[in-house]
Amino acid sequence: MLKGVMTQSQTIMSGGNAAFIEGLYEAYLADPQSVAPEWRAYFDELRGGASETAHSAVQQAFYQPGTQRRGLAATASTAPASASLSGAQQAASALITAYRVYGHISARTNPLKMRGLPVVPELTPEFYGLSDTELNEHVQEGAFSGTLRDVIAQLQQTYCGAIGFEFNYLPAPERKWFQERIEPTRGRGTYSAEERRRFFKKLNAAEGLERYLHIKYVGQKRFSLEGSESFIPLLDRIIQQAGKYGVKETVIGMAHRGRLNVLVNIFGKKPADLFAEFEGKKKLSDNPDVAGDVKYHMGFSSDVRTPGGPMHLALAFNPSHLEIVSPVVHGSVRARQDRRGDTERKQVLPITVHGDAAVSGQGVVMETLNLSRLRGFTTGGAVRIVINNQIGFTVSDPRDTRSSRYCTDVAKIANAPVLHVNGDDPEAVAFCGDLALEYRQTFGKDVFIDLISFRRHGHNEADDPTMTQPIMYREIKGHPGTRALYAAELERAGVLKPGEADEFIERYRDRLDAGDAVVEEIENLEQSALAADWSKYVHTHWTEETPTAVPQATLTELGLKLAEVPAGFQTHRGVKRVLDARRAMAKGEQPLDWGMGEMLAYATLLVEGYSVRLDGQDSGRGTFSHRHAVLHDQNAQDPMNEEYVSLAHLSPNQGRVEIVDSTLSEEAVLAFEYGYSTSEPKALVAWEAQFGDFANGAQAVIDQFLSAGESKWQRLSGLTMLLPHGYEGAGPEHSSARLERYLQLCAQKNMQVVVPSSAAQIFHLLRRQVLRPYRKPLIVMTPKSLLRNKLAMSPLSELSEGRFQEVIGDDTVQKARRVVISSGKLHWELFEARDADKEGYAGTALIRLEQLYPFPAEALRAELARHPGAQVVWAQEEPENQGAWLMIREDLEQALAEGQILTHASRPRSASTAVGYASVHALEQAQVIAAALGEPVTRKAVEAEVRKTAQTGVQS
């Protein structure tokens, strides 16, 4: 009797099959129609009609407190059988489900045989105790039909061939979509002779370039693609098919492995230019400020012909930080989609290419995947290709590279399907490309292609991998190569004539020798009409003046709109007070606070046609509740419809605005915004850290892209970083934005670092960032307690007049005996201390240095010249070894007038950014102020500062 078929006196399956039954039950819970009728009836009865969200009875059937896991099979003895179904038919249903769930484990996806082929018992007839009679019985289930033996063969061919499919965890419609396209092997192996010749042509080019470079430039690093050549026909196939789907732009991000191959064989970079780079003759520019980068980090762009029309291709520049380029690509794609008005996100396609060790090992992959379905970051899904050569740098044992079965298991956090494919089967690889692209365009979700291959050489061409991987490389040495295998297959099929494969090699080598582009579909290599025009932002200087003032009538009109809410919209009582105050500010009845100055900067830019994109972990409200750009209806019933963004309701023809509360990520989110800023020059793109030093988690983005991107790659970015900074006794993690780190990275006018001190200053600064044709990253040390400090408020007239002032002098003092230069919050504390003893400090001038880089030497020199012979003090809250002092000391000295001497006042050198005790903080702050103003610290002053901190200090 069939072991796996239930009768009234038998269980469905033995207890050993519990894992399979439980997997079947999980599929049933997701979609009851996805399992066979007899299983569905059994599960229905077991659950007693319970809803899908209330199935405790079934859970109890799986688990018994205090005992071992029993499995559903162990509880099935009372389940009645379906009299109308034979044992073979029931076994067929069980096998089909098993292959859908577990087939990928036994798929023949590995071109190397060193690890063998795993055997999954649930996929074997023996597991179900099937007899020869039952195997020869005719069955039918969906697209599978024939004897049970035939159906098993069909299942083997479908799910255990060159492709292993992982999609059973997807929602029911998506599972059905996959089943319709692959069962049994539907649509595979039906490529035309012309298509197969193109596959071979691209495969030939992939191998041909690597061998050419291997011989011509012996031992030079190129991070060869050899062993994974199927990647080139795969990428070509996706691009060409994407054109049919209406894709107009494709942005690709990848690390160094195979990058040179992509540049030449996909993007059409001239081999002569590549050879010049190998020979050290190629330079981006003769400009001494252009440092350049190694050839396998360089980006490129071109236009190619596709069956659907021209397509713009962009390959993102990438440092050696591997996976960090993925969020940059997504940001660039999002900007391009927004510029096109592509709300369906189907006209711009992101393709990210990963390494097997990196995709599972680097956290930015998880962060980026987590962005994929978020409303402020989604790009409609990416095609993610893993060039899986089964080895990291020197590691080839999965026990040392990941804790999961596959390197792609991280895909499951984005509910993305995975197609594992044997790199030695170019047509299976092409089918995965077709399937992945169609899935992305249909469902708007990420999809992974795990291209399982090998690496013929070491990590680079100077590395000998046999030192650590003798077994793997013994097999690789005997592997003929994918091109040779496919050539033989095409010759057997009559697609290639005998000897024609060698002619492909010769023709390709001739093209390389000539140095001309080898991609025939290239449209042009000049400025593409499909890309943003950056020409007006090149060769500009930071001193160029741009008017940023706005007529007062316009400010009033916009200010009142910022304080409006829709009829029936119930604001929080605290927010209502903010809006009431903003109405008064807009009318000129009271000065503007920081939040109003910032909001008016956004509003005026929007009505002038520019776009604004601001994101951070609490940017809608602001970490310190100062912005309130996104309002929430306190009486709302629908959580999907309770927000109101006044910035989106200013004018019918205004620019696009996005205020995004981001996920709890710094690295991926900042990289995303950097990518966005590099593809949209006509927008204010800003990222706000919850606290300034939280940007530490994105240091790779700051070091490799923001500070050095222009020098390395001539890539412009106007990204603005808003970093709350200031010493208020809030402890080491909530005080310093590490100002010194940004100043240390400053050189060759690569970015701007500012510390604005008033509402008018932030207004003009943010407008200047967009209106001035100067696209450099802007690092802003923004305040915390200063957000509500009345001294930092500005009258409306300062917005309708003036500009951002890099240096603000002190008009209250003439020919001062002592000049104190400071930035940010400390200036106002010095102001208050001086004001408390006007007579004692009558000869002390306070100068605000609002821009630290590029250093405004002329403006500061002019201001200091008004106080000849004065003692000049640089004052900062930060410890002596941090903050600006050590980085700008020489600049300050060069700005001194004759007879002036420079000293400084700061906290003592410290390993930590700040102390954690409020009383110690107060003592230190009082010492800094006293040292700056030239007064000794008294116990009375310290005690007063302690009381003030206890009352007003900003706490985490």
Side-chain angles (χ1 to χ4, degrees):
M1 186 65 186
L2 179 61
K3 181 180 178 182
V5 177
M6 58 185 176
T7 69
Q8 292 187 2
S9 60
Q10 292 180 310
T11 63
I12 296 177
M13 289 185 180
S14 68
N17 302 331
F20 165 72
I21 302 297
E22 291 162 9
L24 193 64
Y25 176 65
E26 290 173 4
Y28 162 82
L29 286 178
D31 177 18
Q33 300 302 316
S34 67
V35 300
E38 69 277 8
W39 289 109
R40 188 162 62 250
Y42 171 67
F43 292 141
D44 285 343
E45 181 178 344
L46 185 63
R47 290 170 57 209
S51 66
E52 289 190 15
T53 58
H55 50 276
S56 58
V58 178
Q59 289 180 319
Q60 290 173 6
F62 277 110
Y63 305 100
Q64 288 291 335
T67 64
Q68 292 183 335
R69 184 174 182 178
R70 299 171 60 205
L72 184 61
T75 71
S77 60
T78 61
S82 174
S84 61
L85 295 177
S86 68
Q89 182 64 56
Q90 293 184 60
S93 298
L95 279 161
I96 290 170
T97 300
Y99 271 90
R100 288 171 178 168
V101 176
Y102 303 124
H104 58 88
I105 300 174
S106 289
R108 297 183 296 278
T109 55
N110 197 338
L112 301 181
K113 307 297 185 275
M114 55 179 286
R115 294 196 178 98
L117 191 64
V119 176
V120 180
E122 287 87 346
L123 306 183
T124 64
E126 293 77 16
F127 185 80
Y128 306 96
L130 292 165
S131 66
D132 284 343
T133 301
E134 289 161 332
L135 286 172
N136 291 324
E137 185 177 330
H138 188 278
V139 295
Q140 181 167 356
E141 178 95 12
F144 296 98
S145 179
T147 66
L148 183 54
R149 195 186 307 275
D150 293 337
V151 166
I152 292 173
Q154 293 167 15
L155 288 166
Q156 275 283 326
Q157 188 179 12
T158 300
Y159 286 106
C160 297
I163 305 173
F165 299 95
E166 280 194 283
F167 62 83
N168 206 59
Y169 45 83
L170 301 179
E174 297 176 31
R175 294 201 306 273
K176 182 179 180 183
W177 184 92
F178 270 103
Q179 292 164 12
E180 289 173 348
R181 281 155 181 77
I182 66 177
E183 293 182 353
T185 64
R186 189 175 295 139
R188 290 155 64 186
T190 58
Y191 291 112
S192 67
E194 182 182 355
E195 288 174 313
R196 299 174 82 183
R197 287 177 68 88
R198 185 178 180 97
F199 298 158
F200 181 74
K201 177 183 177 182
K202 288 296 180 180
L203 198 60
N204 181 79
E207 183 184 275
L209 178 67
E210 298 296 353
R211 293 197 173 186
Y212 189 95
L213 295 175
H214 192 66
I215 295 171
K216 189 168 184 176
Y217 301 104
V218 178
Q220 286 206 40
K221 289 183 181 180
R222 56 191 164 90
F223 297 99
S224 166
L225 188 64
E226 288 173 88
S228 304
E229 293 93 342
S230 289
F231 171 65
I232 295 299
L234 170 62
L235 195 55
D236 174 70
R237 178 72 180 183
I238 292 173
I239 291 169
Q240 290 297 310
Q241 293 298 106
K244 295 181 180 179
Y245 283 98
V247 173
K248 300 301 181 186
E249 292 187 77
T250 295
V251 184
I252 301 171
M254 64 182 300
H256 42 267
R257 178 76 53 203
R259 191 180 187 90
L260 302 183
N261 219 303
V262 169
L263 286 168
V264 171
N265 289 319
I266 298 295
F267 280 78
K269 180 172 182 173
K270 292 181 179 180
D273 291 340
L274 178 63
F275 301 156
E277 291 173 359
F278 269 97
E279 294 160 10
K281 299 175 181 177
K282 182 71 173 179
K283 293 176 64 179
L284 281 176
S285 169
D286 291 327
N287 186 336
D289 289 339
V290 177
D293 202 353
V294 291
K295 51 190 170 293
Y296 40 80
H297 288 173
M298 303 306 289
F300 203 77
S301 64
S302 59
D303 291 349
V304 298
R305 295 188 301 274
T306 76
M311 180 188 296
H312 183 64
L313 301 181
L315 178 64
F317 295 87
N318 191 52
S320 286
H321 287 66
L322 302 176
E323 300 293 338
I324 194 66
V325 76
S326 182
V328 174
V329 164
H330 282 271
S332 176
V333 168
R334 175 82 175 209
R336 295 165 193 260
Q337 291 171 340
D338 290 347
R339 188 171 65 246
R340 288 178 168 275
D342 179 17
T343 56
E344 293 186 348
R345 310 203 179 278
K346 293 186 177 181
Q347 296 179 32
V348 187
L349 172 68
I351 300 176
T352 56
V353 185
H354 312 261
D356 51 316
V359 78
S360 60
Q362 296 193 5
V364 72
V365 177
M366 185 283 294
E367 291 187 24
T368 308
L369 281 169
N370 191 45
L371 300 179
S372 66
R373 307 294 297 281
L374 303 182
R375 55 182 175 167
F377 300 94
T378 183
T379 55
V383 175
R384 297 178 174 270
I385 303 170
V386 178
I387 300 181
N388 186 349
N389 46 45
Q390 308 182 69
I391 189 170
F393 181 73
T394 56
V395 176
S396 66
D397 194 326
R399 292 176 300 178
D400 299 319
T401 59
R402 60 181 182 267
S403 297
S404 57
R405 170 179 282 128
Y406 298 118
C407 65
T408 53
D409 280 351
V410 69
K412 294 181 175 69
I413 73 167
N415 208 22
V418 182
L419 311 174
H420 307 277
V421 60
N422 191 318
D424 274 353
D425 189 334
E427 292 178 29
V429 171
F431 178 76
C432 287
D434 292 346
L435 202 61
L437 180 63
E438 186 184 359
Y439 176 85
R440 187 266 177 187
Q441 292 296 97
T442 301
F443 296 103
K445 291 175 58 181
D446 284 12
V447 55
F448 278 72
I449 299 174
D450 182 17
L451 181 63
I452 302 174
S453 48
F454 57 88
R455 190 180 73 198
R456 187 166 292 280
H457 303 292
H459 175 69
N460 60 61
E461 286 61 42
D463 176 43
D464 182 1
T466 61
M467 293 180 183
T468 54
Q469 309 302 333
I471 299 174
M472 172 181 274
Y473 276 85
R474 193 160 54 239
E475 182 175 353
I476 289 174
K477 184 177 181 180
H479 193 289
T482 305
R483 178 200 167 278
L485 295 173
Y486 194 48
E489 180 182 336
L490 295 185
E491 284 188 9
R492 288 192 297 270
V495 175
L496 290 180
K497 299 175 184 176
E500 190 177 5
D502 292 337
E503 295 175 10
F504 272 80
I505 296 176
E506 294 171 7
R507 286 197 296 269
Y508 184 76
R509 286 178 178 169
D510 289 343
R511 297 286 295 274
L512 292 178
D513 286 336
D516 294 327
V518 299
V519 179
E520 297 171 355
E521 292 81 11
I522 295 296
E523 288 280 350
N524 72 76
L525 296 177
E526 305 301 326
Q527 171 65 39
S528 171
L530 299 173
D533 183 6
W534 286 83
S535 58
K536 67 178 289 187
Y537 307 102
V538 179
H539 306 307
T540 58
H541 196 269
W542 75 270
T543 57
E544 294 181 16
E545 285 289 342
T546 298
T548 55
V550 176
Q552 188 160 326
T554 302
L555 293 171
T556 297
E557 178 187 357
L558 293 175
L560 291 174
K561 288 184 177 180
L562 292 176
E564 290 178 357
V565 294
F569 191 98
Q570 181 64 46
T571 57
H572 185 277
R573 61 183 181 276
V575 176
K576 186 178 184 302
R577 289 194 294 268
V578 171
L579 298 184
D580 290 343
R582 285 182 178 175
R583 290 188 192 94
M585 294 174 190
K587 296 175 184 178
E589 296 172 354
Q590 66 182 63
L592 282 67
D593 61 14
W594 189 282
M596 186 58 163
E598 182 186 345
M599 288 288 285
L600 279 173
Y602 300 143
T604 53
L605 288 171
L606 288 167
V607 297
E608 291 169 22
Y610 297 96
S611 296
V612 171
R613 178 180 168 89
L614 168 65
D615 90 85
Q617 287 158 16
D618 198 4
S619 291
R621 185 195 67 177
T623 296
F624 308 101
S625 300
H626 81 285
R627 184 174 294 119
H628 297 293
V630 181
L631 306 181
H632 299 267
D633 187 350
Q634 301 299 300
N635 292 335
Q637 301 300 314
D638 181 4
M640 304 299 290
N641 191 31
E642 50 89 14
E643 296 177 345
Y644 179 73
V645 181
S646 58
L647 287 168
H649 301 277
L650 303 173
S651 167
N653 300 315
Q654 71 172 74
R656 173 186 175 83
V657 60
E658 282 188 297
I659 309 294
V660 181
D661 287 338
S662 77
T663 180
L664 196 64
S665 156
E666 285 83 36
E667 185 176 22
V669 172
L670 182 60
F672 186 101
E673 300 309 322
Y674 170 81
Y676 195 106
S677 71
T678 61
S679 295
E680 183 46 86
K682 297 180 180 179
L684 175 64
V685 183
W687 176 77
E688 181 178 48
Q690 195 170 60
F691 284 88
D693 56 356
F694 286 13
N696 292 353
Q699 199 64 47
V701 183
I702 297 163
D703 291 348
Q704 302 302 326
F705 292 98
L706 278 176
S707 70
E710 183 179 2
S711 179
K712 292 190 295 187
W713 312 315
Q714 293 291 273
R715 199 75 169 119
L716 297 180
S717 164
L719 179 65
T720 297
M721 291 177 63
L722 304 176
L723 308 176
H725 175 87
Y727 283 61
E728 284 113 346
E733 270 68 60
H734 296 154
S735 296
S736 175
R738 304 310 302 246
L739 172 62
E740 66 280 356
R741 290 185 178 174
Y742 298 95
L743 291 174
Q744 185 182 35
L745 293 171
C746 288
Q748 302 171 307
K749 307 299 185 291
N750 60 333
M751 56 187 181
Q752 310 159 83
V753 180
V754 299
V755 190
S757 61
S758 72
Q761 283 288 85
I762 191 65
F763 172 84
H764 290 295
L765 174 65
L766 293 176
R767 284 180 54 76
R768 185 184 77 165
Q769 179 68 357
V770 179
L771 298 177
R772 184 175 61 175
Y774 183 75
R775 289 295 174 267
K776 301 294 176 78
L778 172 63
I779 315 301
V780 188
M781 301 287 120
T782 59
K784 294 178 286 182
S785 64
L786 202 62
L787 296 172
R788 292 170 179 81
N789 191 319
K790 292 182 179 180
L791 294 172
M793 299 175 80
S794 303
L796 199 59
S797 60
E798 290 189 5
L799 279 61
S800 60
E801 301 171 0
R803 63 173 184 83
F804 177 77
Q805 300 177 74
E806 292 84 10
V807 176
I808 301 177
D810 190 343
D811 295 332
T812 67
V813 183
Q814 302 298 323
K815 296 185 178 181
R817 298 188 302 273
R818 188 179 188 88
V819 177
V820 182
I821 307 171
S822 62
S823 294
K825 158 181 163 287
L826 181 60
H827 165 80
W828 295 115
E829 293 177 324
L830 292 167
F831 180 88
E832 287 182 296
R834 186 187 69 172
D835 196 53
D837 187 359
K838 293 181 180 179
E839 184 177 348
Y841 294 125
T844 300
L846 303 178
I847 294 178
R848 281 179 272 174
L849 184 59
E850 303 274 296
Q851 179 170 296
L852 298 173
Y853 191 87
F855 193 82
E858 291 184 14
L860 181 59
R861 188 176 296 114
E863 203 53 52
L864 289 175
R866 296 176 54 223
H867 309 286
Q871 173 70 58
V872 179
V873 182
W874 167 255
Q876 66 178 38
E877 297 182 292
E878 301 87 355
E880 184 183 30
N881 60 318
Q882 299 170 34
W885 167 242
L886 295 180
M887 300 308 304
I888 67 170
R889 180 176 180 174
E890 290 185 6
D891 294 313
L892 292 170
E893 289 174 341
Q894 292 172 11
L896 296 177
E898 185 176 353
Q900 292 178 338
I901 298 174
L902 177 67
T903 61
H904 76 282
S906 69
R907 281 174 162 78
R909 287 177 174 258
S910 171
S912 176
T913 52
V915 298
Y917 302 110
S919 59
V920 179
H921 157 77
L923 175 61
E924 289 182 345
Q925 196 76 359
Q927 289 173 332
V928 169
I929 293 170
L933 295 177
E935 287 283 9
V937 180
T938 65
R939 179 175 297 276
K940 184 177 180 181
V942 172
E943 290 173 349
E945 189 65 26
V946 170
R947 288 195 299 272
K948 180 179 176 182
T949 300
Q951 293 171 0
T952 64
V954 176
Q955 298 300 321
S956 166

